[in-house]
Amino acid sequence: MDKKQKGNKNVIVDSDPGVSNAYFGGDIGHESWAMIEGYGSAALYLASHAHEENERDTWLYPSLYLFRHYVELSLKDIYLKWKDVDGEEVDPRILEGHGLDTHLYVDLWKWISAQWPTSDRESLKEVRRTIVDLHRLDKSGQAFRYIKSTEGKFFRTDTTKLIGYTSLSRKIETVKSFLDGIQAWIDNELETRAEQYAEFSVEWD
């Protein structure tokens, strides 16, 4: 490699000689899963270990941000797969923005509620309430990342409140288990349809 090529090389994208490497790009499906699972698992890890690591204040906002971003990515991914199952095209504009209260989420929750067993409505309500309150704390996807908005307005008041890590980690785990379960179910639906389509195509060849 000459000096010019070496100078243009991204210093972050630099592989190890051993096996401690991660895939970066290349496979959109894998990348989407890795992002969703990564943000969710990282949020749960930080929230579950902040107390024992004596990082209660310093890990709070990263925990909340990672949790919120996991929820946003997971719900948008489920929405796209739902529309794929139903054979509907998605207007890319509906995916814009970071609020968790748009028509996308309203329509998605109606669909999830319709699929969910009537014998287990409490878990559905618990997850929905957690996501609604998460949105109330951060309506733009910015409040867990910055102190002030781009307009210079503080996201939080000067009144100190407490967030317990035991409760937070339980809520993250509950929401993650719920959304991961829906992901697994809808992925299975898509795989089944793909197999049926493949069999049908073979029959007509």
Side-chain angles (χ1 to χ4, degrees), residues 4 18 21 51 71 102 105 112 134-136 169 175 199:
K4 186 176 181 181
N21 295 296
H51 177 71
V71 169
T102 63
Y105 300 109
I112 292 174
L134 192 62
H135 171 75
R136 290 172 63 194
S169 58
V175 171
E199 292 174 3

Side-chain angles (χ1 to χ4, degrees), residues 168-182:
L168 177 60
S169 58
R170 188 190 69 80
K171 288 180 173 65
I172 294 173
E173 190 169 20
T174 298
V175 171
K176 190 173 184 306
S177 176
F178 179 90
L179 295 181
D180 287 354
I182 293 177

